[in-house]
Amino acid sequence: MNPLPPFTARFDDVEVTFPRSWEMGENGVARRVSGSVALENITCEFPAGQITGLLGRNGAGKSTMLSLLAAFRRPTRGAVLVGPDGDLRDPWEDAALTSAVLVVQEGGDVLQDEKVEATFSYYADLRPDWDPEYARELLDLFEVPLRKKASVLSRGKRSALAATLGLAARAPLTVFDEVYLGMDAPTRFAFYDALLADYAEHPRTIVMSSHLVEETERLFENVVLLDRGRVVLAEPADDLRTRVTSLTGPTAAVDHLAAGRDVLHRQHLGPTTRVTVHGPLSDDDARAAAAAGVTIGHEGLEGLLIHLTRSSREGTGDGGTTAGRPLAGKESHR
Amino acid sequence: MSTLAQTLDARRAAADRSAVRTVAKHIGGVLVGVGAWYWPIIVLAAAIIALIQQRFDALDGSTVQYVVGSARWFAFSLGVIVPLAMIRPHLAAGGTRRALFRGVVRGAGLAGASFGLVIACLYAAEQGVWRLLDLDWHRSLGLDESTGAVGFAVNAVGEGLVAFTYFLLGAAVSAGFVRFGPWLGLVVCLSLGIPAVVADIALYAGPATALAQQVLGLSGPLPALAGLLVVVVAAAATCLALHLLLRSIPVKRTVF
């Protein structure tokens, strides 16, 4: 069967609301859960053939957004479209698309009371691009036993199993939803290396949601930032990496340089102040900063995530001048 | 049609077929694995009942009839557990709800066929043993007391259809609770049970058979066939209910 090209995924004005429902509490007793809006006016795109990081704090709506791609649920309003460029369609109950989109979540969606090989066999039957030899290689790499039941594996091994499913399926749209949270550091880095190597050899669209932003940001070519169910920004990662500048030095000099800029965060330590401002400095400002003993740095994506999502929730701490203004309105949403 | 559209069409058809087959295969595997324990226990229970009855001079017919009644509840339990456990892995693996429904119906068919055949074999074996012991074989429960090929066929088809219905009922009950939560789910599930109860009564208490004999004046194998027809209708109704429940069932994230 002909392989499919990498998929694009697009969200057009998507809203997801959860009605009042019941869920099982920790003590095994059902409890009432009030209704809520999980996603609101989501319009963005995961471009074909690139790695996109989906970032956001707990409860931002990342998993809900990704579950729409796998047709685990339908949006309350709006459209979710996936497919090769120029032929995007609703994945709901379309076997051609659901077998080409894979959303892997921590622990994996596996047959719990069966041996790992039973899950592999199931995926192999339903995934036309499944590579059984690569799957076994990855299991060896992550030291996951094939003949054990998934339910008896440790959290780390279950995460590794989920990562294996995601990589070996070679789906044109592969989504890793915080799949690596249970892994220890060596396993996580082995996974990142395996991901990059296989992505280079078998190009596809990859979306990664993660809390470990500092660790994963080197992988990202694009970033979508969610906060409270809304897209705050959706841009190429390289643009974002230079988006936020930090100024560290004597308070008076730093305040002078920061005047008139969007200050996202401010910290004092004795006579030294560190401010985080939106946008790069001009060459003149950079020279002035050097002359005044102010050090210029760039915040990583994690810093950006913290500042942008904190500004909309807790404020920026002490004395943030223009902080508290979310940047959502300034950014173009693709 | 573009090459891409042709590729997608080919993948759609192949993925659907493969997904249905895989669901049924998985259910079949569970039936074999669990049945390897269940059926020997059933045989053992029938034998123990027979020995106890004989010890107290109370052995007056089939003892298999007392133990095979549990088979429908066994089918029901499997129907509750197996498809529910498969929903999320199946969708994550790339299957559709439609394929899951078809696969579950095929799986229920496998359950019905295997249960019907095993129960018919148990009755046939019991009849053979009773003959060897020079005892009269008869039973007080069931659609038909025929022995030989006719009895075997009636038992296989009747018990198979009931097991099929109960397996689907189990799947519909679990899907009902997932869809509607505990209270509304309970109401839905109670109403879902009606066809299965009808099938049960039709097969064992015989109102459909009596109706066919006394009101319609049917004779020979026709009243028994009328009973089986009612079971078929009950199975079809349960099948429809399951389809309606599964076709848009949402999937929640597994919590570890």
Side-chain angles (χ1 to χ4, degrees), chain A residues 134-154:
Chain A
Y134 183 50
R136 282 175 186 270
E137 274 176 37
L138 289 169
L139 282 193
D140 286 344
L141 174 70
F142 298 134
E143 298 176 342
V144 178
L146 193 61
R147 293 186 168 275
K148 271 198 173 177
K149 284 185 179 179
S151 56
V152 302
L153 296 177
S154 67

Side-chain angles (χ1 to χ4, degrees), chain A residues 2 12 14-15 25 69 73 90 94 119 146 167 229 268 319 334:
Chain A
N2 291 335
D12 281 336
V14 168
E15 182 177 303
L69 295 175
R73 61 170 60 250
D90 182 354
D94 186 336
T119 297
L146 193 61
L167 290 171
H268 296 293
R334 276 196 284 169

Side-chain angles (χ1 to χ4, degrees), chain A residues 1-5 7 21-22 30 63 70-73 84 87 89 92-103 105-112 114 121-123 125-129 158 177, chain B residues 3-5 7-16 18-19 22-23 25-26 30 85-86 88-100 180-183 247-254 256:
Chain A
M1 197 176 292
N2 291 335
L4 290 170
F7 275 16
S21 62
W22 292 86
S63 295
F72 287 164
R73 61 170 60 250
D87 194 9
R89 303 178 194 190
W92 184 262
E93 291 296 275
D94 186 336
L97 299 181
T98 55
S99 63
V101 176
L102 176 58
V103 174
Q105 297 184 318
E106 193 204 356
D109 292 307
V110 297
L111 300 167
Q112 299 289 345
E114 309 259 351
S121 168
Y122 205 101
Y123 273 70
D125 286 345
L126 269 68
R127 294 266 165 203
D129 306 305
R158 288 165 70 94
D177 183 9
Chain B
T3 312
L4 186 60
T7 304
L8 282 170
D9 283 346
R11 286 174 74 109
R12 187 173 295 113
D16 253 336
S18 177
T22 304
V23 173
K25 188 174 80 178
H26 182 74
V30 174
M86 290 179 71
R88 188 164 176 116
H90 172 80
L91 295 179
T96 58
R97 290 160 181 79
R98 189 175 51 249
L100 179 66
F180 299 111
W183 297 115
R247 68 178 177 176
S248 60
I249 195 165
V251 180
K252 293 176 181 170
R253 182 173 190 171
T254 312
F256 296 98

Side-chain angles (χ1 to χ4, degrees), chain A residues 12-92:
Chain A
D12 281 336
D13 198 21
V14 168
E15 182 177 303
V16 172
T17 55
F18 293 131
R20 282 203 311 161
S21 62
W22 292 86
E23 71 173 25
M24 198 63 78
E26 283 177 10
N27 55 2
V29 177
R31 65 176 182 203
R32 197 78 163 147
V33 180
S34 56
S36 61
V37 178
L39 297 176
E40 205 172 351
N41 304 324
I42 297 286
T43 298
C44 66
E45 185 174 298
F46 299 137
Q50 297 191 18
I51 300 179
T52 300
L54 179 62
L55 309 180
R57 296 174 60 172
N58 289 332
K62 301 188 295 295
S63 295
T64 303
M65 190 172 169
L66 297 177
S67 69
L68 297 172
L69 295 175
F72 287 164
R73 61 170 60 250
R74 301 193 91 156
T76 312
R77 183 168 61 82
V80 177
L81 303 169
V82 299
D85 267 337
D87 194 9
L88 301 187
R89 303 178 194 190
D90 182 354
W92 184 262

Side-chain angles (χ1 to χ4, degrees), chain A residues 305-323:
Chain A
L305 166 71
I306 291 168
H307 297 314
L308 292 182
T309 58
R310 184 165 58 181
S311 65
S312 70
R313 297 190 190 196
E314 294 95 359
T316 58
D318 69 345
T321 52
T322 57

